[in-house]
Amino acid sequence: MVEGSDTSRLLLKAFGSSELLPERVNLTTRSQFQGLLGTGSTPTLINEDISTYRALIPKKSNWLIRSMSVAPISLDGDIIGCLNQGDVTADRFSPELDPVLLAQLALKFSLCLSNVTAHEKLRLLAFNDPLTELLNRRSMEHALKQEFNRAIRYNRELSVSFIDLDKFKLVNDQYGHDAGDKVLMDVAKILSRYTRESDILCRFAGDEFVLVLPETPVSQAESMMLRIQEEMASTPIAINSHTLYQQISYGIASLQVEKSHSYPSLLKHADKALYRNKKRTA
C-alpha cells in the first residue's frame, strides 16, 4: 500500500485493530512503488529477480517466493497500492501468461476497498471531529455516560480533564485560521500520545478538548496533565516562517472527590476547575 494518501490512511484506520495487518500489508513510498511498477494499471508477472520487489512484500513474511503477480489497485483513478500473490514455483506467475483474470480480481478488490473507505468516511463524519479526527462532543458524552454509570455501579475511580488553549484567538488573528487549524491538529496529536486505549479524548468545541480517564484518581490525572502541559509549552509548532509554542490550561474533576450525581455535573466541575486555573494564571 502506498503510504501517505488519504485513502491508505482511512483503510489502515478501518483495519487498524486487525492482528493480520502487519503480516499481510506493507507500506511503501509512492516513488518506490512507481520505480518498480510505473504508473500503469496492468498486472505484472515476475519470476526473476524477486528480491528487487521485496519492498512490496510484508516485512514479516518469510515465504520462499519464486514467482509473483503484482496487480495495481486504484480508487477514484488514484493508484493506492497493489494486490500481490506469490508461489513457490517459478512457472506459476510466468511473464508469458495472460494476466486478464488477475486484472479482473484487482478490479473487484478495488471495489471492496472503495466500500470500506466510504463506510469509514461516514463513520468519521458521524462520530469524529473532521479537523482533528478525535471523537466529537456527542460521541464523548455518550462514552462518558457509560463510564460514569460503570464507575458508580462498581465504585471505581473516574477523572475528567477539561483542556483549553491559552490565547488561541491571537493565533487566528495574527496568522489566520489555517494556522489555527494546524495548531489544533498538532495539539490533538500530542494529547493522543498520552492517552491509553481505555481513555476517551475529544475535541469539545473550538479550542477546547476533554479527556476522560477511567480507573484514574485525581492525583494520577494531575500528574498526567502536568506532563502534557510541559510538553506543549516546549514543543515548537511551525507556522510558515514562524515558530509558535502553544500553551494549555486544564481543570480536573474526579468522581470520588466531587461526588457528582450525573456525568454532566462531573463535566461541569472540570469546566469550573479550568476557569479557576485560567483566572489564577491570567
Side-chain angles (χ1 to χ4, degrees), residues 131-177:
L131 178 65
T132 63
E133 296 188 358
L134 300 180
L135 290 179
N136 57 29
R137 177 175 176 175
R138 182 179 179 183
S139 299
M140 180 278 297
E141 289 180 342
H142 177 74
L144 175 57
K145 180 180 180 180
Q146 291 182 319
E147 289 297 337
F148 182 88
N149 291 337
R150 188 179 70 85
I152 291 290
R153 184 180 303 115
Y154 299 108
N155 192 29
R156 307 300 296 176
E157 301 274 9
L158 176 65
S159 294
V160 175
S161 179
F162 218 113
I163 303 163
D164 177 82
L165 307 193
D166 296 340
K167 300 178 182 179
F168 181 68
K169 186 177 182 299
L170 294 178
V171 176
N172 284 325
D173 291 345
Q174 186 170 353
Y175 301 105
H177 288 280

Side-chain angles (χ1 to χ4, degrees), residues 63-68 85-93:
W63 308 323
L64 181 61
I65 299 175
R66 290 193 175 90
S67 67
M68 62 184 292
Q85 300 179 73
D87 199 90
V88 295
T89 63
D91 58 352
R92 176 64 179 86
F93 295 111

Side-chain angles (χ1 to χ4, degrees), residues 181-200:
D181 287 348
K182 186 178 187 306
V183 169
L184 289 170
M185 289 187 288
D186 284 6
V187 170
K189 290 176 183 176
I190 291 176
L191 292 174
S192 296
R193 290 204 297 269
Y194 279 86
T195 57
R196 305 162 299 184
E197 188 173 348
S198 59
D199 298 337
I200 301 157

Side-chain angles (χ1 to χ4, degrees), residues 47 77 179 261 265:
N47 62 1
H261 298 292
S265 174

Side-chain angles (χ1 to χ4, degrees), residues 89-106:
T89 63
D91 58 352
R92 176 64 179 86
F93 295 111
S94 173
E96 288 77 22
L97 298 175
D98 188 348
V100 61
L101 295 179
L102 292 170
Q104 293 177 8
L105 177 62

